[in-house]
Amino acid sequence: MRKCFCAYPLSLGCAVLLLICAALGGCLWVYTAPQKRAQAINIRELLVDPSVFPPGWEIAEEYPVPEKALIEDYSAGEGYMRFVVPEGSQKPWGSSAVHMMFRYRNHWQAAKAFYLDKFSAFYAYFPDATSRWEKPEGWTYRSPIADRFRFACQHFYNKDEGRGMRCSALAQYDEFISVFMAEFLLDKMSLRDIERILRSIDEQIASRLGK
């Protein structure tokens, strides 16, 4: 009988330990398991169509995110980016927009990247900024299909180019992260244009992901 009383707490402790290990193993499996899709998704096809930009804007360049940056900066498995600029512009930045799409192993890892803002979508400081990052007055659009969404803009003044805005939209769609950033002079683009672009991105992604 004495042996039974001694063995009981030991057995209970082992059982609890096994349950904890099983739970941890289950969490690890959920976090690392690849997202299942009936059809393969070409990440490049999720990028914004330049035709939804104001007249005169065009693709300047597009290319895959380098593997080193994917691993070290974004912790993603795949990434692609597209730059759109006013016609004739020679600047890779300035009056320009960039749309980046990233694919993660599953939606859990994408959510982590979203919360950590690994893409620096909302910079804390720009030397030419005249306002904080905040949602513009009167702005109501929020992605109806994204799991998570954030949008903010900042006013700036450049003595060489004048007044403008920079806006960023960060959205998670399952295992994908969309980052749209635009810096523009007020005569080159408007918030109404930005809303139209973001709606187009949503429609593009919804059609490809079946949302």
Side-chain angles (χ1 to χ4, degrees), residues 108-139:
W108 297 106
Q109 294 188 15
K112 179 182 177 182
F114 179 95
Y115 284 122
L116 293 178
D117 189 8
K118 285 182 168 290
F119 323 94
S120 299
F122 305 94
Y123 291 92
Y125 175 75
F126 275 97
D128 61 354
T130 59
S131 71
R132 295 182 176 182
W133 281 101
E134 55 190 1
K135 186 169 69 172
E137 184 178 354
W139 181 270

Side-chain angles (χ1 to χ4, degrees), residues 91 128 130 156-164 183 185:
K91 299 180 180 180
D128 61 354
T130 59
F156 69 84
Y157 175 75
N158 185 306
K159 66 178 182 179
D160 296 322
E161 297 181 307
R163 299 187 182 278
E183 183 172 286
L185 300 179

Side-chain angles (χ1 to χ4, degrees), residues 31-90:
Y31 182 72
T32 58
Q35 194 95 5
K36 293 183 179 179
R37 292 221 169 256
Q39 295 182 339
I41 303 294
N42 184 339
I43 195 171
R44 185 172 175 270
E45 295 178 354
L46 302 180
L47 291 173
V48 65
D49 186 334
S51 67
V52 301
F53 279 73
W57 286 67
E58 60 186 7
I59 294 178
E61 54 185 346
E62 59 180 35
Y63 47 82
V65 177
E67 184 176 358
K68 183 177 181 181
L70 278 176
I71 296 172
E72 297 182 2
D73 298 329
Y74 308 114
S75 303
E78 184 183 4
Y80 213 94
M81 57 176 57
R82 172 175 289 167
F83 291 88
V84 185
V85 301
E87 187 177 5
S89 175
Q90 300 299 315

